[in-house]
Amino acid sequence: MSATHEVFNQVEPLVDYNLFAGNQALGAALKFNAPALDTAHLHALGAKLGSADMQTHARLANVFTPQLKSHDRFGHRIDQVEFHPSYHALMTAATAAGLHGTPWGSPHPSPHLSRAAGFMFFTELEPSMLCPISMSYAVTPALRDNPAIYADWAPQLTSRAYDPALKLWKDKAGVTMGMGMTEKQGGSDVRANTTQAVPTGSDHWGQRFSVTGHKWFFSAPMCDAFLILAQTPSGLSCLFLPRVLPDGTLNPLFIQRLKDKLGNKANASSEVEFAGATAWLVGEEGRGVPQILAMGTMTRLDCALGTSGLMRQALSIALNHTSQRMAFGKKLIDQPLMKNVLADLALESEASTALALRLARSFDRPEDEHERAMQRLLTPVAKFWICKRGSHFAEEAMECLGGNGYVEEGGEGIMARIYREMPVNSIWEGAGNIMALDLLRALRKADAAAALAQELAPARGMHAALDHLAESLPTRVEQMATEMEARRLAQDVALAVQAALLAQTAPPAVFGAFCDSRLAGHWGHSFGSLGAGVDFDAIIQRAQPR
Ligand SMILES: Cc1cc2nc3c(=O)[nH]c(=O)nc-3n(C[C@H](O)[C@H](O)[C@H](O)COP(=O)(O)OP(=O)(O)OC[C@H]3O[C@@H](n4cnc5c(N)ncnc54)[C@H](O)[C@@H]3O)c2cc1C
């Protein structure tokens, strides 16, 4: 009791809980995609990431943001970025959990799906430092096309040790990798890249080049090496550019400044220049775009997983808040209209989780033709649709907390952090339109319509609106939508696949409400407009974080 008033009807924050144990949607999706998966490690990770200690690290890493140290006090260039110790604690935890390169060397079944689940709930804790973790995961399919470099770097790429020192890769316990495509004059259209790579001979790592130019967005510049795009005599090519050269000297990669961003605060994103930096060819000269897209495909998966994780955390906080806060004589969660908002958010969150993890499964079975087709089809679909829904979702979840949701309070306001983070997953790694256009390219494959029909078949007869959409999609796919229609097609494929997955993983209350609202039109243009016949309590109960 203070001198002026009593503080009451404020909520206890959501802390010290298991991010895995309480997530029924995620548990059901894992069981569906890999019934025999041993989830003991996910239980342990879920408990750790829901702890007060880890939440404190996440807050501090966002409050004390990375600082560029371009020169030492004697004027020598050092091009280092200094991070708060909490950033390093988070990187250590993510690496120990095997969220970076580890799945590529794993003998266990379903390593990508298992890693995807861990990545999703690490995102719930802190998404932005996962940028270098994601890129280090994503690089392997592209880097393997230079077998000599991959053989030298794979042990450190797959090691569970985090080693932030700027030194020769072979003297380190673990390494991270980034990518540089975007230049000032064009990011989506990387063919506009002007950075030049001049051949200088060859060695143990293959064809060597001297690189001069710049990158306008270059995240996590403290990574040990990068895949970049540059113009060689044969055209745009993919090159491996380490920060420290094999002779131990620093490669001339100059960090010009760090970006001042809306969110994504714990991650350093920079602008860089290459002043005759040494780099080695990866893949075929002149075929740099498809080569680096082997990396981009994996980071797009992570955008879908990451946004699903952020949705889940925003929903959990909203449920925690409304379960305690009273207004007009009732807990908020018992007010009918709030039930509608919460249940609607829960449907969206579960559908995103189902789609993102379905996509992750396809990376575990590249030998299976249907899985390969789904990987190609669902990567742009999931990246487009889930990330598009993210910002709207975060705004509505924030509103469940009223004014407290909007307040930062020195980094305590996790909801504000989530809201600021959401748009970036939609922009980077191919913005919304680029993803929708990529879907059109994927559909040019002869078997795309048949693969989609096969994916939707298990849900046939379970909901009239889903049947109707499922019947029309293969024809629309075969007739090939025009560019003008690409977003609508990406949306409809996403909704159909989400509904078909929920038919197989979720209780009837969730599946029915999802189809009624998203497919049959019993829905408005905002969250919280589900029809009256929905079993709100069942949906909300399933989504509760504890
Ligand atoms: C925080 C942050 C970190 C980043 N880190 C990296 C990094 O580490 N490495 C890296 O290489 N890049 C990075 N990026 C860059 C990012 O990938 C690009 O910003 C993105 O790909 C878009 O490119 P652009 O900014 O040049 O926009 P543009 O290419 O100019 O696109 C602008 C808009 O036009 C749309 N558009 C483009 N072409 C078409 C078309 N044909 N039809 C219809 N619409 C179209 C796009 O969808 C987009 O909405 C980062 C970006 C951010 C915000």
Side-chain angles (χ1 to χ4, degrees), residues 139-150 281-284 290-291 294:
V139 75
T140 291
L143 188 59
R144 277 196 294 221
D145 286 336
N146 183 319
I149 296 178
Y150 189 67
L281 183 66
V282 176
E284 202 181 321
Q291 188 65 37

Side-chain angles (χ1 to χ4, degrees), residues 12 20 32 165 177 183 189-190 280 319 362 401 460 474 524 545:
E12 290 297 321
F20 178 67
F32 170 72
M177 282 194 64
E183 297 185 3
D189 188 4
V190 288
W280 286 262
L319 288 166
S362 69
L401 275 64
R460 191 175 301 141

Side-chain angles (χ1 to χ4, degrees), residues 365-375 447 451 454:
R365 293 165 52 196
E367 70 290 345
D368 182 315
E369 198 181 325
H370 179 67
E371 292 304 306
R372 274 202 313 279
M374 281 303 109
Q375 186 190 113
D447 56 353
Q454 183 184 335

Side-chain angles (χ1 to χ4, degrees), residues 179 181-182 186-188 217 219 261 427-429 431 433-434 437:
M179 67 168 136
M181 294 181 279
T182 310
S188 309
F217 281 94
S219 282
K261 299 172 288 185
I427 293 174
W428 64 11
E429 308 306 331
N433 286 354
I434 297 302
L437 294 173

Side-chain angles (χ1 to χ4, degrees), residues 136-202:
S136 305
Y137 167 61
V139 75
T140 291
L143 188 59
R144 277 196 294 221
D145 286 336
N146 183 319
I149 296 178
Y150 189 67
D152 283 352
W153 281 65
Q156 275 86 352
L157 261 178
T158 53
S159 127
R160 288 185 185 239
Y162 169 62
D163 184 346
L166 180 59
K167 58 185 187 189
L168 197 58
W169 95 94
K170 55 186 170 191
D171 297 335
K172 295 186 57 156
V175 296
T176 51
M177 282 194 64
M179 67 168 136
M181 294 181 279
T182 310
E183 297 185 3
K184 289 173 183 144
Q185 68 281 356
S188 309
D189 188 4
V190 288
R191 295 168 306 177
N193 275 191
T194 59
T195 294
Q196 296 294 316
V198 177
T200 56
S202 67

